[in-house]
Amino acid sequence: RAAAGASAVSAAPAGQGEASSGGGGAGEGGGSVWDPPTGKFAKPGATRAFAGRGKAVYWPRMPCLRCGAPWWQGADWDARCMRCGWNCEADGYDDDSNPLPQFKGRYDSIVAVLKLGRTPEYKGKLSQALAPGA
């Protein structure tokens, strides 16, 4: 597993420097398909279909600590990040869904960007796995 706290978070314009999965409901302002939902859809547990990947569940309180995406392949602890495939089950969050101390700074940076209605830029490898049941 890659170290989730190793990279910096930036709020670069969505889509620049990151691969697109296509589809998935990008924001009207030309945002990334990975950006949080808006309006009445901006609730934890909301779902979004990602072309060629399946359906993801929105969990803003527990964003991926590797890539910053709030989209997970399911609602269980063993779900993987829809964007990068990282799994927080064994590392990243405690049993109360709080970030472990070594990831607190990274978590705060990611959440700050998500609150702006964006998902942090990610230049790493995208997950190829489909969500369960897709």
Side-chain angles (χ1 to χ4, degrees), residues 47-134:
T47 60
R48 177 182 290 170
F50 286 84
R53 296 172 173 274
K55 192 183 295 185
V57 182
Y58 175 63
W59 295 116
R61 188 176 171 329
M62 289 184 64
C64 175
L65 295 173
R66 178 191 285 166
C67 75
W71 297 102
W72 296 89
Q73 293 178 354
D76 296 325
W77 269 100
D78 62 349
R80 293 191 171 273
C81 172
M82 184 60 90
R83 181 159 71 169
C84 74
W86 183 71
N87 179 333
C88 71
E89 183 178 21
D91 194 21
Y93 289 97
D94 65 19
D95 292 341
D96 294 321
S97 303
N98 295 310
L100 296 172
Q102 64 267 34
F103 297 110
K104 181 73 168 108
R106 172 107 176 115
Y107 174 84
D108 290 342
S109 297
I110 291 169
V111 170
V113 174
L114 291 174
K115 285 181 179 178
L116 297 174
R118 307 301 256 172
T119 296
E121 179 180 22
Y122 176 64
K123 295 181 181 180
K125 183 179 177 186
L126 295 178
S127 170
Q128 299 300 313
L130 291 175

Side-chain angles (χ1 to χ4, degrees), residues 12-31:
Q16 289 186 356
E18 81 179 15
S20 173
S21 70
E28 290 180 15

